[in-house]
Amino acid sequence: MRWSPQALARITGGALVRDAGREVAGAFLDSRTPIPGGLFVPIVAARDGHDFIPAAIASGAAATLIARGRPRPDDPRVSVIEVDDPLTALERLAADARARCDGPVVAITGSNGKTTTRAMIAAALEVGFAPVLATQGNFNNHLGVPLTLVRELEGGAAPRAMVIELGMSAPGEVDALAALVRPTCAVITSVALEHLEFMGSLDAIARAEAEVVARVRPGGRVLVPGDEPALTPYVSREGVALQGFGAGELYGAPIVEVVAVEVGVRTRVTLAIEGHGRETFSLQTFGAHNARNAAAAVSVALAHGLPIDAVCAALERVAPVGDRGRVIALGEHLLVADCYNANPGSVKAGLAGLAAFVDVDRRIAVLGDMLELGPDEEALHAEVGREAAALGIDALLTVGPRSRHAALAAGAVGHHLGDALALPEATAAVTEALAGSRRAAVLIKGSRGMALERLCEALVAARGDTP
């Protein structure tokens, strides 16, 4: 998004201290990752952003905000707007940017799958509403969401649609973010046991994820999984359509069947869609849970009258976002790098996807600790270990003190590698588990704090392959 210095002052309620005559495009908070020609927003948190205004100017900022009473930078090339609070000013700019988009604005919440679903919905909407502004990376909190809304698209084009991811670790956070986004459509991807140290119960998590519903514009739509009863008390609202997606009959759904099969480095998906018959396509992302995410994207597309064949073709082009279900050919074997995050629901989904692989003779799961699960962490880790055994996973290797309970519960197939990730030992253990297999599939999954991506990298390097 672009603003003149005068518009910046007007929208933020600030005073234009200096007008350098340069239009401003986008905003940034970190002088180490600048946006040339952008607005520097000096947030006061663990460190005072005002201390980095000279570095931001040196890296190409066209303008900067300053809190009232702070020293004004001398550089005449940079516009300066004095405001009461830089973060509040950024939120006002974000609200202005949101108001400029009169097309679909989709907000995505949920315990699992937000980022992949966001990428899929953005690809689907590109079919009819290009260009689409979508969250990048993990910009889904109180800083990332306003920065996303003000981001300048390539070429300076105004977005015709927006897809914004909303993160949550405590009650009230989704509501505050959704109030800024003011979605025309909300998608809740899932409800699972996450952040239990802060949330306390599954019901509290469902209530918090559903805070977005109250912020959907009248006449809008809420899409929720058709097999998620925990959301039922919180997702109905007068004047807003409620619709299910994926498997399950709750809430009604135009997609009545979702089938996924893991085939090599892609997942073959079949959706049975009322009025459209069966659509079969393949995803680059791993797991039946991502087939459900694709069903959410197709449901959004249906709601906006987009051609389903073109939407399905667009979904085939969506690459995994980082290590979220990325399938890597490891010689004759397949490695699933799913290391970005983990909770009991997402781990069970990953194990189910591993069990669904065809044309493999051995299925191996490497699980790291699931963090922030509170006092029930031992029982929840044991639960996923029993699930691995019940699904017929051939070997379960675990890393971390909590995941030891998963290995024990898995019985004969479980083996604990240790409480810390020692790469040589872990790499050797996985290599040994692969020995004698014609073609194996290996799932590596754990909470972000376990850094299991290092094991993925070590296995790839050991084989001499490239991801």
Side-chain angles (χ1 to χ4, degrees):
M1 295 293 179
R2 290 177 175 259
W3 294 272
S4 68
Q6 297 92 337
L8 285 175
R10 174 178 52 80
I11 294 165
T12 61
L16 183 57
V17 175
R18 180 190 303 120
D19 183 351
R22 299 167 60 191
E23 195 172 42
V24 176
F28 64 103
L29 310 179
D30 191 335
S31 61
R32 297 167 298 181
T33 54
I35 296 176
L39 171 71
F40 180 63
V41 183
I43 300 297
V44 179
R47 304 178 75 178
D48 189 341
H50 292 84
D51 295 338
F52 301 93
I53 288 176
I57 293 173
S59 62
T64 184
L65 302 179
I66 60 170
R68 298 195 191 280
R70 295 301 189 103
R72 302 171 181 178
D74 296 328
D75 196 317
R77 299 170 299 172
V78 177
S79 298
V80 179
I81 299 93
E82 189 178 62
V83 296
D84 290 330
D85 174 64
L87 178 55
T88 300
L90 174 62
E91 291 171 344
R92 289 174 177 170
L93 284 177
D96 178 75
R98 163 61 185 93
R100 299 190 200 184
C101 180
D102 56 8
V105 176
V106 182
I108 302 172
T109 72
S111 301
N112 302 317
K114 291 189 297 295
T115 299
T116 300
T117 304
R118 171 246 296 172
M120 290 180 175
I121 291 175
L125 289 179
E126 283 278 355
V127 171
F129 294 95
V132 175
L133 174 73
T135 303
Q136 295 183 336
N138 59 350
F139 274 39
N140 64 5
N141 64 6
H142 69 294
L143 300 177
V145 168
L147 284 175
T148 296
L149 289 170
V150 304
R151 196 176 81 237
E152 172 84 343
L153 290 177
E154 185 175 352
R160 296 183 59 214
M162 296 180 171
V163 183
I164 310 296
E165 182 180 330
L166 312 182
M168 183 278 293
S169 60
E173 291 180 346
V174 166
D175 180 66
L177 296 175
L180 193 60
V181 173
R182 291 177 292 138
T184 61
C185 176
V187 176
I188 305 176
T189 61
S190 61
V191 175
L193 296 174
E194 58 166 351
H195 308 304
L196 279 177
E197 288 182 347
F198 317 110
M199 299 300 299
S201 70
L202 186 68
D203 181 70
I205 294 166
R207 187 187 307 115
E209 298 290 9
E211 288 171 0
V212 67
V213 174
R215 300 295 184 174
V216 176
R217 286 188 165 186
R221 184 178 301 266
V222 175
L223 299 175
V224 295
D227 57 355
E228 195 55 82
L231 287 167
T232 300
Y234 307 114
V235 290
S236 295
R237 178 184 154 208
E238 186 176 354
V240 173
L242 175 62
Q243 179 183 308
F245 65 84
E249 299 178 355
L250 295 174
Y251 319 115
I255 296 176
V256 295
E257 183 184 8
V258 179
V259 178
V261 179
E262 306 300 334
V263 184
V265 296
R266 300 185 75 96
T267 301
R268 188 172 65 240
V269 175
T270 299
L271 304 180
I273 308 170
E274 289 184 352
H276 295 271
R278 301 177 74 84
E279 292 283 345
T280 298
F281 54 97
S282 64
L283 299 175
Q284 298 180 48
T285 46
F286 155 83
H289 52 291
N290 280 318
R292 185 168 81 166
N293 296 337
V298 172
S299 297
V300 171
L302 282 169
H304 292 90
L306 299 179
I308 298 306
D309 54 347
V311 168
C312 292
L315 294 179
E316 289 194 325
R317 297 190 291 270
V318 176
V321 183
D323 284 335
R324 295 174 173 89
R326 184 166 57 112
V327 184
I328 304 165
L330 198 66
E332 66 275 23
H333 307 302
L334 297 170
L335 173 66
V336 181
D338 200 0
C339 315
Y340 187 79
N341 214 341
N343 56 50
S346 69
V347 172
K348 289 178 182 179
L351 291 170
L354 179 63
F357 265 107
V358 297
D359 194 28
V360 298
D361 58 2
R362 190 163 172 77
R363 296 165 179 84
I364 302 160
V366 183
L367 302 183
D369 286 355
M370 300 178 291
L371 305 179
E372 297 183 359
L373 292 183
D376 293 330
E377 64 180 15
E378 179 177 331
L380 292 170
H381 281 84
E383 190 176 296
V384 300
R386 287 190 292 271
E387 182 77 359
L391 287 168
I393 303 304
D394 297 292
L396 173 64
L397 311 179
T398 64
V399 178
R402 300 165 183 84
S403 63
R404 179 189 302 272
H405 303 291
L408 291 172
V413 301
H415 177 65
H416 188 63
L417 301 181
D419 290 347
L421 180 63
L423 283 177
E425 290 81 357
T427 304
V430 176
T431 302
E432 182 180 350
L434 291 171
S437 173
R438 173 188 60 84
R439 180 174 170 82
V442 183
L443 168 68
I444 299 183
K445 187 165 183 64
S447 284
R448 184 69 189 87
M450 298 303 293
L452 289 184
E453 70 276 4
R454 294 184 294 148
L455 177 56
C456 297
E457 294 164 359
L459 287 167
V460 170
R463 300 285 304 200
D465 297 309
T466 55

